[in-house]
């Protein structure tokens, strides 16, 4: 067997391996296409050298590992999370970080009012304390 | 051979797919609540009214107009009883104004202390200033506990005590032992959103039954024939088609008409459609002059500012910066009762000392109070003032004016929910027509509504309408024949408005009406102010003939719908102001400066022995029934006596309450 023919066998073997790894992931192939091609080229160049030195098996193992790794995990590295477009802040808009802490009427612990022992009742001070039903300064019923 | 068997099984399976096998194998005798094959095939399209407006006819057992608290309760009560019901509503059910009722609901459950529904009955009768029909109030207060328990069983998450019973708080002028036992705790609530929760609970429950919902259908008119109501005609806003819902029973639950006034807490959709439909059918509306006001509503927004603001030291000032309450109530000043404060504010505005570019409101000043005290005692008020008034409450005053909150009047009904007219001194039932909720006037609120009673009114009378219909009818009854061109006048009106080409816009006429009602038929009522208002309203009514609309389409034509709503508002407004002008006494929410006393058949402030009783024409303890001629806007008034006997003839069970002087 000549060097050229053995090299061609290895090349076909590698392309098969890479193809198998990528079979289920169409978009990866499209994205990773150039990279895979370069990887293949790298593998080929390394193989050419390693075949001679007997490091062939190790290099095929590493190459497969890299290919598999790129096929599945490389997606996250490449894609950044989509950021929501920020509209100009209006007069009543609150900062996202502050909104939770700015709630004026706080929840009772476990929803139970400590003085009246009412469970699931209105938050804040007693709404009927002024004779009408008050909430946040508004009169709801009278 | 195996291959043949396989082929045969496949063929049989194919064949079975084409047979409609029933979903449930009906071996049991239990009647199911839902129907498997929904009946929608009854809708027939015809040219019976006009070739321009093809009409779709539906045949049903019952139709409910309006899907608020009362409408939903009536609709699924009817579906539960097996009737083929349609619910026609111009809004999605969870968008009805009931969702804004955040106060509680009263019921004598007796969870906080010993309670009796008869004491609740007494409180409501007294609150109505003895204008409420005692049989209807008896019915409502007796059914209250059952109604609240039923809601709780539907899944409404009331707040609870430690033991797990429904928590009740003191609210709304409720007392124990017929007013002699101190404050009663009767108000049940769901955190701070009882109405919202009620509406969502009822809507969720109604989906278990097969009520057909016709959402965003604007009901135009009732189909009346020979004094009997045979259905409703409505406009589908989505595609502009006209629908006639033929049914033996029609329930009206369309809500109040707050939008006749410039400042009100109601939604823009509270336009009194039900009252107007009934008026156009030639039937009367009852007690429309009783409109409940609150003194401090935010100008423009319509939200009410709590009395606690004045209780904590807030003051009302006019454009001169003067604390004007000192002149009207030297002792109580800003802490005077609500009606005194409302009247004082209105007098200041009428005398030209109002603030703002139109000088039509006053200021509520809170910035002289220390901000920490304000935030501690009234948490959330700065947020409210900023959102609704756009002011920083620690620096600027809040613009306020008296605001409409509730309409006690409406369509007259008996305690069962059937609409009545008064002929030859007798109450006669209008066959086929029912009303409940704020649109109906049973009358439980009389001259003044107590807090937390209106949500109770909704559920009790919604259920009452459904029960009455179920008692007297059977599902699937054949409908009486209807003229093929029934509803032609409504469609003609629709067409006229759609192509109206006068000179004033809908919004201008509406604003004129609202401003006139706010300045003439609001809290401050005297003979000449009301008379002036009646004349102005008359001319504004006539200006409806000269209206101009812009949208000529039929699909989602909001210009057209707003104009129809304006016609409805106008009918309500003229009846309100003319009835107010005619009633020469002060009772409950109708307070007149020139007639400050309540005029009953006896003078209840003196001893009744040997006192002569005034004849019916000379005293005012009677309901006003108002009719309008829709073409001219002329209002005719009649009167009907108050029902004083409670439902039971047994005085031990529930005695009727004789009138007395109302003081708190």
């Amino acid at each position: 067997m000549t060097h050229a023919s053995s090299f061609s066998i290895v090349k076909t073997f590698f392309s098969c391996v890479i193809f198998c790894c990528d079979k289920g992931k169409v978009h990866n192939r499209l994205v990773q296409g150039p990279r895979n091609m370069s990887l293949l080229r790298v593998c080929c160049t390394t193989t050419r050298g390693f075949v001679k030195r007997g490091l062939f098996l190790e290099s095929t193992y590493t190459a497969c590992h890299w290919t598999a790794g790129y096929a599945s995990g490389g997606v996250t590295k490449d894609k950044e999370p989509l950021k929501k477009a920020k509209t100009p802040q209006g007069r009543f808009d609150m900062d996202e970080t502050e909104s939770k802490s700015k709630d004026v009427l706080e929840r009772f612990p476990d929803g139970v009012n400590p003085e009246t022992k009412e469970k699931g009742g209105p938050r804040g001070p007693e709404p009927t304390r002024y004779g009408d039903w008050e909430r946040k300064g508004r009169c709801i019923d009278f | 051979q195996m291959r043949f068997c396989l082929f045969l099984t496949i063929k049989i399976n194919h064949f079975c797919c084409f047979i409609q096998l029933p979903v449930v194998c009906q071996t049991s005798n239990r009647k199911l609540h839902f129907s498997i094959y929904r009946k929608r095939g009854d809708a027939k399209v015809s040219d019976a009214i006009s070739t321009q407006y093809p009409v779709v006819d539906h045949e049903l057992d019952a139709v409910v107009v309006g899907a608020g608290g009362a409408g939903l309760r009536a609709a699924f009560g009817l579906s539960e009883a097996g009737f083929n019901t349609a619910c026609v509503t111009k809004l999605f059910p969870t968008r009805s104004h009931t969702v804004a009722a955040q106060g509680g609901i009263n019921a004598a459950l007796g969870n906080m202390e010993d309670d009796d529904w008869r004491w609740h009955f007494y409180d409501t009768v007294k609150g109505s200033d003895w204008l409420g029909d005692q049989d209807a109030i008896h019915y409502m207060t007796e059914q209250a506990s059952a109604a609240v328990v039923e809601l709780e069983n539907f899944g409404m998450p009331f707040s609870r005590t430690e033991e797990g019973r429904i928590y009740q708080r003191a609210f709304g002028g409720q007392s124990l032992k017929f007013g002699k036992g101190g404050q009663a705790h009767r108000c049940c609530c769901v955190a701070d959103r009882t109405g919202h929760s009620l509406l969502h609970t009822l809507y969720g429950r109604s989906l278990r039954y097969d009520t057909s919902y016709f959402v965003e259908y604007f009901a135009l008119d009732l189909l009346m024939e020979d004094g009997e109501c045979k259905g409703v005609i409505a406009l589908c806003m989505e595609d502009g088609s006209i629908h006639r819902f033929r049914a033996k029973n029609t329930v009206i639950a369309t809500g109040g008409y707050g939008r006749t006034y410039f400042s009100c807490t109601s939604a823009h959709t509270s336009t009194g459609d039900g009252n107007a439909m009934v008026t156009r059918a030639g039937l009367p509306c009852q007690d429309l002059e009783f409109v409940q006001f609150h003194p401090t509503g935010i100008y423009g927004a319509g939200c009410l500012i709590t009395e606690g603001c004045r209780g904590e030291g807030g003051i009302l000032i006019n454009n001169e910066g003067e604390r004007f309450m000192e002149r009207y109530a030297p002792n109580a000043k800003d802490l005077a009762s609500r009606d005194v404060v409302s009247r004082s504010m209105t007098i200041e505005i009428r005398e030209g000392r109002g603030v703002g570019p139109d000088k039509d409101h006053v200021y509520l000043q809170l910035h002289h109070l220390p901000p920490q005290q304000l935030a501690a005692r009234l948490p959330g008020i700065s947020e409210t003032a900023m959102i609704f008034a756009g002011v920083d409450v620690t620096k600027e005053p809040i613009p306020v004016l008296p605001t409409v909150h509730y309409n006690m009047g409406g369509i007259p009904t008996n305690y069962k929910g059937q609409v009545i007219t008064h002929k030859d001194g007798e109450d006669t039932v209008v066959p086929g027509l029912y009303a409940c909720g704020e649109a109906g006037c049973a009358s439980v609120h009389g001259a003044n509504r107590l807090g937390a009673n209106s949500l109770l009114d909704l559920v009790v009378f919604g259920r009452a309408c459904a029960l009455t219909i179920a008692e007297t009818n059977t599902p699937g009854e054949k409908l009486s024949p209807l003229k093929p061109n029934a509803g032609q006048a409504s469609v003609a009106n629709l067409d006229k408005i759609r192509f109206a080409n006068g000179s004033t816009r809908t919004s201008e006429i509406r604003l004129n009406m609202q401003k006139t009602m706010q300045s003439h038929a609001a809290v401050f009522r005297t003979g000449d102010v009301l008379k002036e208002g009646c004349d102005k309203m008359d001319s504004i009514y006539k200006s409806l003939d000269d209206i101009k609309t812009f949208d000529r389409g039929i699909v989602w034509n909001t210009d057209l719908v707003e104009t129809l709503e304006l016609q409805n508002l106008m009918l309500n407004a003229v009846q309100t102001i003319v009835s107010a002008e005619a009633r020469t006494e002060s009772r409950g929410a109708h307070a007149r400066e020139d007639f400050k006393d309540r005029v009953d058949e006896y003078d209840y402030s003196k001893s009744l022995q040997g006192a002569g009783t005034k004849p019916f024409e000379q005293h005012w303890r009677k309901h006003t029934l108002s009719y309008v001629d829709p073409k001219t806007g002329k209002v005719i008034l009649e009167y009907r006596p108050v029902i004083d006997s409670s439902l039971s003839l047994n005085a031990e069970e529930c005695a009727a309450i004789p009138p007395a002087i109302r003081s708190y």
Side-chain angles (χ1 to χ4, degrees):
Chain A
M1 198 157 55
T2 59
H3 277 253
S5 60
S6 67
F7 178 64
S8 63
I9 290 167
V10 164
K11 206 165 72 174
T12 24
F13 171 71
F14 256 105
S15 51
C16 290
V17 162
I18 290 167
F19 179 71
C20 288
C21 288
D22 267 352
K23 212 165 50 167
K25 301 179 172 66
V26 178
H27 67 280
N28 283 6
R29 208 176 328 136
L30 292 170
V31 168
Q32 304 296 329
R35 201 171 286 187
N36 274 351
M37 292 312 293
S38 58
L39 177 61
L40 185 58
R41 225 177 295 126
V42 161
C43 291
C44 292
T45 44
T46 43
T47 319
R48 219 182 288 131
F50 286 155
V51 158
K52 255 192 176 167
R53 283 169 181 73
L55 295 170
F56 172 66
L57 278 172
E58 198 188 316
S59 61
T60 45
Y61 173 73
T62 338
C64 287
H65 187 67
W66 284 349
T67 322
Y70 275 123
S72 56
V75 188
T76 47
K77 285 186 204 168
D78 201 29
K79 274 192 162 183
E80 279 167 12
L82 286 175
K83 280 203 193 120
K84 203 172 162 189
K86 275 230 157 196
T87 49
Q89 204 171 33
R91 187 157 68 126
F92 299 136
D93 278 345
M94 294 181 286
D95 243 340
E96 279 152 8
T97 48
E98 284 178 40
S99 58
K100 284 243 158 73
S101 56
K102 255 185 163 189
D103 210 3
V104 174
L105 296 181
E106 308 216 326
R107 270 197 84 226
F108 295 117
D110 287 332
V112 181
N113 187 329
E115 286 145 28
T116 57
K117 307 281 182 288
E118 183 187 1
K119 202 168 165 190
R123 294 182 292 170
E126 171 63 32
T128 54
R129 63 195 188 285
Y130 293 115
D132 56 6
W133 192 288
E134 177 268 343
R135 183 165 194 264
K136 290 193 175 174
R138 290 170 62 182
C139 168
I140 308 295
D141 200 5
F142 56 96
Chain B
Q1 202 179 28
M2 248 192 63
R3 221 183 295 153
F4 176 73
C5 286
L6 196 66
F7 171 77
L8 200 61
T9 3
I10 294 169
K11 260 296 169 192
I12 291 170
N13 278 336
H14 263 285
F15 184 60
C16 280
C17 289
F18 293 120
I19 305 170
Q20 282 188 328
L21 295 169
V23 175
V24 169
C25 198
Q26 287 180 327
T27 46
S28 64
N29 290 326
R30 197 170 73 104
K31 232 174 28 166
L32 299 171
H33 279 301
F34 52 87
S35 64
I36 296 163
Y37 305 112
R38 284 180 69 100
K39 282 205 293 183
R40 281 276 205 188
D42 284 23
K44 296 181 273 282
V45 187
S46 68
D47 272 352
I49 290 184
S50 143
T51 47
Q52 301 289 324
Y53 295 96
V55 143
V56 182
D57 277 303
H58 304 263
E59 286 185 5
L60 306 144
D61 292 326
V63 69
V64 177
V65 183
L72 284 180
R73 184 68 189 82
F76 80 72
L78 287 165
S79 302
E80 197 179 13
F83 289 84
N84 184 10
T85 316
C87 187
V88 176
T89 165
K90 72 178 181 188
L91 299 170
F92 191 76
T94 53
R95 297 277 184 258
S96 308
H97 193 49
T98 312
V99 81
Q102 291 175 10
I105 182 169
N106 276 340
L109 293 166
N111 287 340
M112 308 302 282
E113 71 242 320
D114 275 335
D115 206 352
D116 192 345
W117 64 264
R118 294 171 192 79
W119 303 337
H120 186 191
F121 168 69
Y122 169 80
D123 293 324
T124 309
V125 170
K126 180 178 171 191
S128 77
D129 218 348
W130 279 276
L131 199 70
D133 290 327
Q134 295 199 17
D135 58 349
I137 299 178
H138 171 162
Y139 182 76
M140 183 179 86
T141 49
E142 194 178 8
Q143 300 279 324
S145 325
V148 168
V149 170
E150 188 188 48
L151 284 173
E152 194 262 342
N153 289 346
F154 288 159
M156 195 162 152
F158 285 105
S159 63
R160 304 282 173 165
T161 59
E162 270 180 307
E163 299 116 43
R165 312 192 72 182
I166 296 179
Y167 185 88
Q168 294 180 291
R169 49 177 31 84
F171 180 61
Q174 304 291 324
S175 64
L176 299 165
K177 299 204 182 67
F178 302 104
K180 301 184 189 77
Q183 179 74 41
H185 296 74
R186 259 180 221 137
C187 182
C188 318
C189 73
V190 175
D192 16 65
R193 48 182 172 278
T194 313
H196 171 107
S197 167
L198 172 78
L199 197 59
H200 283 256
T201 309
L202 288 177
Y203 181 60
R205 184 76 188 182
S206 72
L207 296 175
R208 295 184 78 178
Y209 309 105
D210 58 349
T211 314
S212 316
Y213 280 99
F214 291 88
V215 178
E216 283 163 3
Y217 278 66
F218 187 85
L220 298 167
D221 265 312
L222 298 172
L223 300 170
M224 301 286 291
E225 208 168 278
D226 307 321
E228 194 184 321
C229 181
K230 296 195 177 176
V232 177
I233 181 167
L235 166 74
C236 173
M237 301 205 289
E238 194 180 333
D239 60 9
S241 53
I242 310 284
H243 292 251
R244 274 196 301 215
F245 297 91
R246 287 185 57 197
K248 194 162 174 244
N249 310 288
T250 310
V251 181
I252 299 184
T254 47
Y257 58 95
R259 282 283 150 183
T260 44
Y261 287 83
F262 180 69
S263 180
C264 63
T265 59
S266 336
H268 287 278
T269 47
S270 294
T271 49
D273 300 326
N275 295 355
M277 277 162 53
V278 154
T279 304
R280 281 192 289 261
L283 298 168
C285 284
Q286 181 172 277
D287 292 342
L288 289 188
E289 65 267 33
F290 294 101
V291 179
Q292 194 174 40
F293 284 85
H294 188 273
T296 48
I298 298 182
Y299 183 76
C303 304
L304 304 174
I305 295 282
T306 178
E307 288 167 60
C309 290
R310 287 176 283 128
E312 289 296 330
I315 59 176
L316 291 163
I317 53 174
N318 58 15
N319 65 358
E320 290 161 11
E322 179 208 353
R323 187 180 178 180
F324 58 84
M325 283 310 298
E326 283 175 343
R327 277 187 282 123
Y328 297 94
N331 293 329
K333 292 186 233 206
D334 294 278
L335 296 174
S337 65
R338 279 195 295 267
D339 40 348
V340 174
V341 175
S342 307
R343 278 208 289 285
S344 318
M345 286 165 75
T346 315
I347 294 173
E348 288 293 304
I349 293 169
R350 279 196 75 81
E351 289 178 1
R353 290 191 289 280
V355 301
D358 292 330
K359 290 200 168 39
D360 53 358
H361 55 282
V362 296
Y363 279 140
L364 173 65
Q365 183 180 295
L366 289 167
H367 56 77
H368 58 284
L369 302 168
Q372 301 92 322
Q373 185 194 350
L374 206 55
R377 299 279 178 83
L378 292 162
I381 191 163
S382 43
E383 187 187 59
T384 300
M386 178 49 86
I387 293 176
F388 294 107
V391 303
D392 183 353
V393 80
T394 51
K395 297 196 187 73
E396 301 157 292
I398 308 173
V400 294
L401 79 166
T403 303
V404 172
H405 184 63
Y406 188 82
N407 303 105
M408 271 72 76
I411 304 169
T413 69
N414 57 17
Y415 75 94
K416 295 189 228 170
Q418 298 169 308
V419 171
I420 53 178
T421 48
H422 196 70
K423 281 199 190 80
D424 308 319
E426 283 257 323
D427 288 336
T428 41
V429 170
V430 174
L433 192 57
Y434 302 79
C436 54
E438 196 176 343
C441 181
S443 144
V444 273
H445 306 301
N448 190 34
R449 174 194 73 102
L450 288 182
N453 263 358
S454 55
L455 284 175
L456 182 61
D457 174 21
L458 301 183
V459 283
V460 168
F461 287 99
R463 181 172 168 270
C465 284
L467 288 177
T468 314
I469 294 175
E471 258 173 23
T472 49
N473 298 283
T474 47
E477 266 182 47
K478 201 160 174 324
L479 294 173
S480 58
L482 186 67
K483 274 205 208 94
N485 68 344
Q488 194 173 38
S490 321
V491 178
N493 181 38
L494 186 96
D495 188 64
K496 187 182 97 170
I497 296 177
R498 187 175 153 210
F499 295 106
N501 209 0
S503 52
T504 20
R505 311 170 114 121
T506 310
S507 50
E508 286 164 8
I509 302 181
R510 190 173 54 219
L511 191 62
N512 280 344
M513 172 193 72
Q514 288 174 336
K515 293 245 174 197
T516 308
M517 292 298 282
Q518 185 76 30
S519 56
H520 295 272
V523 202
F524 181 74
R525 296 177 175 181
T526 51
D528 35 350
V529 166
L530 287 167
K531 194 86 195 64
E532 196 190 330
C534 286
D535 297 330
K536 274 194 191 166
M537 279 308 300
D538 199 34
S539 61
I540 295 174
Y541 192 93
K542 302 237 171 18
S543 76
L544 265 182
D545 296 326
D546 195 31
I547 201 163
K548 182 174 173 57
T549 50
F550 293 87
D551 191 348
R552 303 285 178 235
I554 196 66
V555 172
W556 200 261
N557 189 343
T558 49
D559 202 354
L560 172 66
V561 173
E562 273 188 28
T563 314
L564 290 167
E565 286 177 344
L566 177 62
Q567 286 185 329
N568 295 343
L569 282 174
M570 277 293 199
L571 287 172
N572 284 294
V574 291
Q575 289 182 67
T576 305
I577 198 166
V578 173
S579 328
E581 201 254 324
R583 187 174 277 264
T584 53
E585 65 151 0
S586 288
R587 185 184 291 267
H590 173 73
R592 280 184 69 153
E593 294 297 304
D594 42 355
F595 297 95
K596 286 200 195 241
D597 301 313
R598 203 177 80 186
V599 179
D600 297 326
E601 62 272 34
Y602 292 109
D603 189 349
Y604 290 101
S605 58
K606 303 196 178 82
S607 131
L608 296 181
Q609 259 188 345
T613 145
K614 291 208 185 89
F616 186 70
E617 292 75 31
Q618 285 182 24
H619 74 86
W620 280 106
R621 204 163 78 84
K622 51 196 184 185
H623 293 293
T624 315
L625 293 174
S626 45
Y627 300 81
V628 185
D629 176 8
K631 290 192 201 56
T632 56
K634 186 161 159 42
V635 180
I636 300 165
L637 297 173
E638 278 175 16
Y639 295 93
R640 168 185 160 241
V642 174
I643 298 175
D644 276 328
S645 51
S646 65
L647 270 183
S648 60
L649 299 168
N650 188 353
E652 274 159 23
E653 199 193 302
C654 178
I657 296 168
I661 297 298
R662 179 171 168 258
S663 61
Y664 285 103

